[in-house]
Amino acid sequence: MITHSTELREELHAASVGFENASPSDIIRWAVGRFSPAAFACSFEDLVLLDVINRESSLVDVIFLDTKGHFPETHDFVATARARWGLSLVTTTPGPDAAEFPCGTAECCQRRKVDPLGRTLANYQVWFTSVKRADGPTRRDMPIVSWDEKFHLVKVNPLATWSDDDVAYYLRSQGLPEHPLWERGYASIGCAAVTEPPAPGADRRSGRWVGSDKEECGLHEG
Ligand code: SF4
């Protein structure tokens, strides 16, 4: 548990502004040196941040949010990452009443993602995410470092300033495997029932919650 204060908020804001041109490695090193314990909620959409974190610190726990609605290919990709880095994952699962709430509703994501992650993050001082401003309009103002009002800990987005091209270059240059659904046109990958490939030219998250006006699962909204 970390105590929130005006001084801490000011420190985080100053760090965030100062990191606008920093590398993800520099940001991660600062965060794990300043706050502990640390966790990374990995979407397993791509393995960039997992790779950078593994290079910088062995002290970051990796969380997998198992909604019980993922594509089989996502579970295969998680297994690939586990084998590559010898990961000991912290896996969350939906609460017992999740099945009562249909896919696409706020309560479904709340019960399958937000609540389980919140219970897990209560054990940490800082969490990392792969959120990028380039993901779409709902994320374009995302700070690099901030106080997370929802989960009550420090939130760090080391890839906030990265573009899709930056991600593609890193994956290629490091020889990292890609999510098996990318070659079928998928971009942002969530639960199977509500994820489609985005239309040509549309932002990468536009294939999420197709047919509803939902744009975020609730993890990254204050
Ligand atoms: S994406 Fe759909 S199925 Fe998955 S947790 Fe959210 S609402 Fe539920």
Side-chain angles (χ1 to χ4, degrees), residues 67 69-70 101-113 190-195 208-209 214 217:
T67 63
H70 287 299
F101 299 94
C103 176
T105 61
E107 276 304 308
C108 182
C109 275
Q110 185 73 31
R111 309 290 170 121
R112 292 172 189 269
K113 291 182 175 177
C191 290
V194 285
T195 304
R208 302 286 294 274
W209 300 288
K214 193 174 164 71
C217 58

Side-chain angles (χ1 to χ4, degrees), residues 88-107:
S88 171
L89 291 179
V90 177
T91 301
T92 69
T93 51
D97 55 351
E100 296 169 27
F101 299 94
C103 176
T105 61
E107 276 304 308

Side-chain angles (χ1 to χ4, degrees), residues 46-53 159 162 166-168 170-171 176:
D46 68 66
L47 301 180
V48 171
L49 194 53
L50 194 54
D51 187 63
V52 181
I53 285 175
L159 304 182
W162 278 36
D166 292 331
V167 170
Y170 188 93
L171 292 175
L176 292 173

